[in-house]
Amino acid sequence: MKKIITIVTVIVIIIVIFFIKINYKSLKNGNNMSNKSTKEITQYILDINSYEAEAQVLIESNKNSNKYKIKEKYSKDNNVFKREILEPENLNGVSFIYDGTNLMVQNSALNLNKIYENYPYIGENNITLMDFVNDYKESNETNVSENEEEIVLEVKIKNGNKYIAYKKLFIDKAQGKISKLEIQDITQKTIIYILYNEIKINNLQKDDILAFKLKEIKNDI
């Protein structure tokens, strides 16, 4: 009986240590915001250094709507960025990779690549999480609100256009993570809706995104 009790005790201790390590790793990676105040969460978002996300994107226009499933990686270190399209099927394998200076458009299905050297800031597409952060920091018209389920950060875009004039970022209180981003036109109609299925924050390095050297790739789209 004593041996059984000892074995059970050891197993319980191992399980406890295992969960402590998992929770510590989650906190260390900055992916747990559930125990922070609204002010702390806002500052946390504005201080993001990197993220990795999988998202569903819906883009509405006057004539139709388009849906995409994408993966994104961003690191503030040298402003490196990668977006990979997973769906629709005809665009699967198409990636946009920016190394801080050059942009590569890659189609892995066709083994084709196109490099644009000295390309302007990739964030000008205006739909990334880092674009929201930059817009929020630059604008004088921001707002933070909350209800029982969510915290919402809102910003009116400085020098925005009629298509991209407002943005709203939603943080799920229960899960303690970013859940969605809405982009609105000048009439405050949502034209781009981004649902984050998975998101990890502040656990990427530049080399996690750039697994290539642009100048070594010769195939051309």
Side-chain angles (χ1 to χ4, degrees), residues 11-67:
I11 292 173
V12 170
I13 291 173
I14 291 172
I15 292 173
V16 170
I17 292 173
F18 176 75
F19 280 105
I20 288 174
K21 286 184 176 181
I22 289 178
N23 289 332
Y24 174 77
K25 184 176 181 180
S26 178
L27 289 169
K28 185 178 179 181
N29 286 340
N31 295 315
N32 191 329
M33 297 183 286
S34 58
N35 296 321
K36 297 183 179 181
S37 68
T38 300
K39 184 177 180 180
E40 288 174 321
I41 288 173
T42 301
Q43 193 59 50
Y44 172 83
I45 297 298
L46 298 180
D47 289 340
I48 288 176
N49 291 313
S50 69
Y51 72 89
E52 179 178 7
E54 184 176 295
Q56 300 282 350
V57 180
L58 174 63
I59 301 177
E60 299 277 4
S61 68
N62 293 330
K63 296 182 179 180
N64 53 35
S65 63
N66 295 287
K67 295 181 179 180

Side-chain angles (χ1 to χ4, degrees), residues 113-126:
N113 305 281
K114 176 69 175 180
I115 297 173
Y116 300 89
E117 296 186 354
N118 300 312
Y119 195 83
Y121 174 49
I122 192 65
E124 290 177 358
N125 60 61
N126 274 313

